Protein backbone atom coordinates (compact mmCIF):
# COMPACT_ATOMS: atom_id res chain seq x y z
CA UNK A 1 0.00 0.00 0.00
CA UNK A 2 2.08 2.88 1.32
CA UNK A 3 5.73 2.77 2.30
CA UNK A 4 7.74 5.46 4.07
CA UNK A 5 11.50 5.57 3.66
CA UNK A 6 13.57 7.86 5.87
CA UNK A 7 17.09 9.12 5.40
CA UNK A 8 19.47 11.65 6.88
CA UNK A 9 20.14 10.48 10.40
CA UNK A 10 23.59 10.21 11.88
CA UNK A 11 26.04 11.41 14.50
CA UNK A 12 26.58 15.10 15.08
CA UNK A 13 28.15 17.26 17.76
CA UNK A 14 26.05 19.46 19.98
CA UNK A 15 25.20 22.68 18.18
CA UNK A 16 25.30 21.01 14.80
CA UNK A 17 22.61 20.42 12.21
CA UNK A 18 21.00 17.51 10.41
CA UNK A 19 18.28 17.21 7.83
CA UNK A 20 15.93 14.25 7.75
CA UNK A 21 13.90 13.25 4.72
CA UNK A 22 10.98 10.88 4.36
CA UNK A 23 9.42 9.85 1.07
CA UNK A 24 6.06 8.14 0.81
CA UNK A 25 5.62 5.72 -2.08
CA UNK A 26 3.27 3.02 -3.26
CA UNK A 27 -0.34 3.06 -4.32
CA UNK A 28 -1.23 6.45 -2.86
CA UNK A 29 -4.47 8.31 -3.46
CA UNK A 30 -3.83 11.11 -0.99
CA UNK A 31 -1.42 12.01 1.79
CA UNK A 32 -2.85 14.15 4.55
CA UNK A 33 -0.79 15.11 7.58
CA UNK A 34 2.86 14.08 7.73
CA UNK A 35 5.09 14.31 10.73
CA UNK A 36 8.11 13.27 12.71
CA UNK A 37 8.14 11.46 16.03
CA UNK A 38 11.07 10.38 18.14
CA UNK A 39 11.75 7.81 20.78
CA UNK A 40 14.69 7.90 23.14
CA UNK A 41 15.80 4.82 25.10
CA UNK A 42 13.43 4.17 27.99
CA UNK A 43 11.01 6.87 26.90
CA UNK A 44 7.73 6.95 25.05
CA UNK A 45 7.49 7.98 21.44
CA UNK A 46 6.69 11.68 21.18
CA UNK A 47 5.60 14.04 18.45
CA UNK A 48 8.37 16.32 17.24
CA UNK A 49 6.62 18.19 14.44
CA UNK A 50 3.70 17.83 12.07
CA UNK A 51 2.57 19.47 8.85
CA UNK A 52 -0.72 19.34 6.99
CA UNK A 53 -0.96 19.15 3.21
CA UNK A 54 -1.95 22.82 3.38
CA UNK A 55 1.30 23.69 5.12
CA UNK A 56 0.09 24.27 8.67
CA UNK A 57 2.72 23.19 11.16
CA UNK A 58 2.99 22.34 14.84
CA UNK A 59 6.02 21.63 16.99
CA UNK A 60 6.88 20.17 20.36
CA UNK A 61 7.87 22.93 22.75
CA UNK A 62 11.32 21.39 23.13
CA UNK A 63 12.19 21.93 19.46
CA UNK A 64 10.45 25.22 18.66
CA UNK A 65 12.86 27.68 17.12
CA UNK A 66 15.42 24.97 16.35
CA UNK A 67 13.60 22.51 14.06
CA UNK A 68 11.71 23.27 10.86
CA UNK A 69 9.33 20.86 9.16
CA UNK A 70 8.47 21.21 5.48
CA UNK A 71 7.04 19.09 2.71
CA UNK A 72 6.93 18.70 -1.05
CA UNK A 73 3.42 17.57 -1.89
CA UNK A 74 4.32 16.69 -5.47
CA UNK A 75 6.91 14.23 -4.17
CA UNK A 76 4.97 13.10 -1.08
CA UNK A 77 8.08 13.93 0.90
CA UNK A 78 8.50 15.53 4.29
CA UNK A 79 11.67 17.06 5.69
CA UNK A 80 12.89 17.95 9.15
CA UNK A 81 15.68 20.51 9.36
CA UNK A 82 17.27 20.27 12.79
CA UNK A 83 19.59 23.02 14.04
CA UNK A 84 21.30 23.76 17.34
CA UNK A 85 21.07 20.10 18.21
CA UNK A 86 21.38 19.07 21.85
CA UNK A 87 22.34 15.73 23.40
CA UNK A 88 18.74 15.40 24.57
CA UNK A 89 17.65 15.30 20.92
CA UNK A 90 19.29 11.89 20.64
CA UNK A 91 16.63 9.37 19.64
CA UNK A 92 15.30 7.23 16.84
CA UNK A 93 13.26 9.51 14.61
CA UNK A 94 10.22 8.06 12.88
CA UNK A 95 8.33 9.47 9.94
CA UNK A 96 4.55 9.27 10.06
CA UNK A 97 1.97 9.85 7.35
CA UNK A 98 -1.79 9.84 7.38
CA UNK A 99 -2.58 8.53 3.91
CA UNK A 100 -5.35 7.05 1.79
CA UNK A 101 -4.23 4.23 -0.51
CA UNK A 102 -5.91 3.78 -3.90
CA UNK A 103 -9.08 1.74 -3.56
CA UNK A 104 -9.71 2.80 0.02
CA UNK A 105 -12.08 5.41 1.42
CA UNK A 106 -10.44 6.25 4.70
CA UNK A 107 -6.95 7.19 5.81
CA UNK A 108 -4.70 5.21 8.08
CA UNK A 109 -1.39 5.92 9.75
CA UNK A 110 1.84 4.68 8.21
CA UNK A 111 5.28 4.63 9.82
CA UNK A 112 8.82 4.60 8.55
CA UNK A 113 11.45 2.24 9.87
CA UNK A 114 13.17 4.92 11.92
CA UNK A 115 16.51 6.66 11.63
CA UNK A 116 18.97 7.15 14.47
CA UNK A 117 20.03 10.65 15.44
CA UNK A 118 22.85 10.87 17.97
CA UNK A 119 24.06 14.19 19.34
CA UNK A 120 27.34 14.09 21.22
CA UNK A 121 28.22 16.61 23.91
Amino acid sequence: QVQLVESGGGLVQAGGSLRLSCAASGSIFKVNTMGWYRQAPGKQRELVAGITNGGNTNYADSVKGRFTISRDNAKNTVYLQMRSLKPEDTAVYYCNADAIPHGYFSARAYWGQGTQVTVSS
Side-chain angles (χ1 to χ4, degrees):
Q1 293 182 350
V2 179
Q3 298 82 40
L4 301 181
V5 178
E6 300 135 338
S7 61
L11 173 65
V12 65
Q13 288 189 332
S17 299
L18 281 175
R19 188 189 193 215
L20 306 182
S21 300
C22 172
S25 63
S27 182
I28 300 171
F29 173 68
K30 184 180 181 182
V31 179
N32 297 321
T33 300
M34 302 185 80
W36 291 95
Y37 288 71
R38 67 186 181 187
Q39 187 167 19
K43 295 187 177 181
Q44 290 188 330
R45 190 173 296 189
E46 63 175 359
L47 174 68
V48 176
I51 184 168
T52 68
N53 52 14
N56 293 317
T57 60
N58 64 291
Y59 295 92
D61 287 342
S62 59
V63 306
K64 283 181 181 177
R66 301 187 298 120
F67 292 9
T68 302
I69 189 170
S70 61
R71 66 188 284 174
D72 183 333
N73 289 334
K75 297 180 180 180
N76 287 327
T77 299
V78 63
Y79 308 95
L80 186 68
Q81 179 67 52
M82 304 183 292
R83 299 182 176 87
S84 301
L85 282 160
K86 305 175 181 180
E88 50 264 43
D89 294 318
T90 295
V92 178
Y93 283 69
Y94 295 92
C95 176
N96 169 267
D98 184 71
I100 305 174
H102 279 292
Y104 290 77
F105 296 100
S106 60
R108 57 158 290 183
Y110 293 90
W111 293 90
Q113 79 283 359
T115 185
Q116 178 70 46
V117 171
T118 303
V119 184
S120 63
S121 57

